Amino acid sequence: MTQDPFEWIEDESRRRERAGLTRVLRPRTAGARPLDLAGNDYLGLTRHPEITGAAAEAAHRWGAGATGSRLVTGSTALHAELEAELAAFCGFEAALVLASGYAANLAAVTALSGRESLIVSDAGNHASIVDGCRLSRARTAIAAHTDPDAVGKALDAEPGRRALVVTDSVFSVDGDAAPLAALAALCRARGAALLVDDAHGLGVLGDGGRGALHAAGIAGGAGVVATLTLSKSLGSQGGAVLGPARVIGHLVNTARTFIFDTGLAPAAAGAALAALRLLKREPERADRVRSAAGALHRGLTARGLTAVRPDAAVVSVRAPSPEAAVEWAARCGAAGLAVGCFRPPSVPDGISRLRLTARADLTGPQIARAVSTVAETAPPDAVGAQML
C-alpha cells in the first residue's frame, strides 16, 4: 500500500490542537459589522467614500489588474504619482511601490544585504523581516528588543563587514516604539545602514502622520531606508520602500519581489494616493488615533487589566494562556467587538494577548463600550496579571 505523503500533516494538526494554537479563517460579511478594534484601519479610511471612489475610478481607467510586473506593463502614472508623493510626504528622496508590505520588506532586506554582509535584527521584528534575513544569506545577529547597546555590540563584534541594522518602528504585538534616533546615531558612527519598517508609524506618528522616522528626525538620512505598508493608515493595499534615489534604483534592478511579482493593482494605488492626499488635508487624524489609543489604555488598566502603554495605535492586553486568549476574543466577538488574538508563535515571549487597535474615527461612547466589553468578558485570572 502506498504511504500517504501528507499523513504527517495530521500529526502536526493534532499537536496544534493540543496546544490551543489552531487557526481558522473567519470570513467577515459586507452587512452589519461589529465594532472593529482588530483591523489596522488606523485613520478610518478603508470605507471612506473618497477612497473607495478613487479605487473605483482607477479600476475603470486602468483595469482591474496591473497586467504584469512593474518592469513590463505593471507601472502606471498612478504608481509614479504615489511614489513621488509618498517620498515627499515622509521626507525621503525616492520611493518604490510593491504589491505588499511583506514584499517590500523582503525586497529591502535582501537587496541591501547579501552573503558577505551582517544584518543586526531586533528580536521583536515582524515575520517579513525575519524571512528577509533568512533569504538574504547574510550573517544575522539577533539583538535584544529595543536595545541600542546590544546592536552596537553586535556591530562591534564584526568590524569591517558591511552591515545593515533592521527594526520595526512600532512593534505590531505590543505597540512599543524602537529608539530610532539612538539607532541612527549608532549606525552613523559605525558606517552601518539603518532599515526601518514604519508600517505602524505612518499616519499615526510624526507631524501630520508623516511617520516614526520623521518624528525621530532621521527621515531622509543618507544611510536610512524605510519600508511602509499601504494597508493600514492608508486603508488600501500594497507596500513601499523609501530612501536615497540610488538605493531605490538598486532595488529596481535587484529586488526579486519587485522584479518578478505582478505590480500593485491600479485600484489599490489609486486608493492609497487618495488616502495620502486626504491625510495631508486632515493631519489631525493622526492626533485622534493616538488620543483614542491612550483612552483605551487608561480605561483597560483602570479595570484591573494589564495593558502595555501604547506608543502609537496598538494596545496589547495580557491573556493568561493561548486557550484563554482565544476564548476571550470569541466572547468579545459575540458581544459585538472584534479584537485581535496573538498567540505563540506570533509572540516570541510566549505570552498570549488580546490586541486592540485604535482608529481616528472612534467616538468616546465606542471607546467606553470597547473597554467595558473587554473587561466584562475577561477570564478571572486576567485581572491583576503582570506583563513580563
Side-chain angles (χ1 to χ4, degrees):
M1 183 179 296
T2 303
Q3 184 177 354
D4 180 357
F6 295 127
E7 184 177 2
W8 61 273
I9 291 178
E10 300 302 321
D11 294 332
E12 291 291 319
S13 179
R14 284 189 288 269
R15 276 194 285 271
R16 282 194 298 271
E17 186 70 29
R18 286 194 297 269
L21 300 178
T22 300
R23 289 162 168 79
V24 296
L25 293 172
R26 295 183 176 87
R28 56 187 176 93
T29 65
R33 302 187 304 276
L35 178 58
D36 182 11
L37 271 69
N40 297 311
D41 184 21
Y42 296 146
L43 300 183
L45 298 181
T46 296
R47 294 176 179 272
H48 191 289
E50 188 172 326
I51 310 311
T52 56
E57 180 183 351
H60 281 298
R61 182 177 183 188
W62 298 101
T67 75
S69 71
R70 290 288 309 276
L71 289 170
V72 183
T73 58
S75 287
T76 70
L78 275 177
H79 292 81
E81 286 181 65
L82 177 58
E83 287 166 343
E85 294 194 27
L86 269 175
F89 180 73
C90 296
F92 287 85
E93 189 176 8
L96 186 67
V97 166
L98 292 91
S100 70
Y102 210 109
N105 272 339
L106 292 183
V109 173
T110 56
L112 298 178
S113 59
R115 194 184 297 272
E116 301 304 319
S117 66
L118 169 68
I119 297 175
V120 182
S121 179
D122 188 284
N125 278 341
H126 188 265
S128 56
I129 295 175
V130 174
D131 287 350
C133 293
R134 292 168 176 168
L135 290 170
S136 72
R137 304 181 191 179
R139 154 95 172 104
T140 300
I142 306 302
H145 184 49
T146 63
D147 186 346
D149 289 340
V151 172
K153 289 176 182 176
L155 292 173
D156 292 343
E158 303 197 38
R161 191 192 288 261
R162 178 161 57 91
L164 175 70
V165 174
V166 59
T167 182
D168 286 359
S169 64
V170 177
F171 294 88
S172 61
V173 174
D174 279 338
D176 55 326
L180 295 184
L183 290 174
L186 185 153
C187 287
R188 283 194 301 271
R190 291 166 171 81
L194 176 62
L195 172 61
V196 181
D197 178 0
D198 203 23
H200 299 275
L202 177 66
V204 179
L205 301 177
D207 181 24
R210 285 173 168 77
L213 290 90
H214 188 277
I218 65 170
V224 177
V225 176
T227 57
L228 306 172
T229 179
L230 312 177
S231 64
K232 294 180 171 59
S233 286
L234 298 186
S236 181
Q237 190 169 354
V241 184
L242 286 69
R246 62 178 177 171
V247 169
I248 300 306
H250 175 69
L251 264 66
V252 169
N253 285 276
T254 62
R256 294 173 66 85
T257 53
F258 174 80
I259 296 170
F260 298 108
D261 197 8
T262 299
L264 182 66
L273 183 58
L276 181 62
R277 290 171 175 172
L278 189 150
L279 177 57
K280 292 177 189 177
R281 297 197 316 268
E282 301 179 7
E284 66 277 3
R285 284 180 179 261
D287 297 328
R288 295 208 300 267
V289 178
R290 298 194 301 272
S291 176
L296 285 168
H297 176 263
R298 289 191 298 273
L300 293 166
T301 54
R303 300 290 290 267
L305 298 172
T306 300
V308 177
R309 186 180 301 278
D311 286 327
V314 174
V315 181
S316 178
V317 187
R318 181 173 182 172
S321 68
E323 296 86 352
V326 172
E327 293 169 3
W328 192 359
R331 288 194 294 271
C332 287
L337 174 68
V339 298
C341 177
F342 275 40
R343 299 167 288 158
S346 299
V347 285
D349 58 10
I351 299 173
S352 295
R353 299 158 168 83
L354 294 192
R355 178 179 178 270
L356 284 64
T357 50
R359 297 199 318 271
D361 58 346
L362 284 176
T363 65
Q366 287 176 323
I367 292 172
R369 174 186 158 198
V371 168
S372 294
T373 301
V374 173
E376 291 166 7
T377 59
D381 42 356
V383 176
Q386 296 298 311
M387 186 74 77
L388 300 179

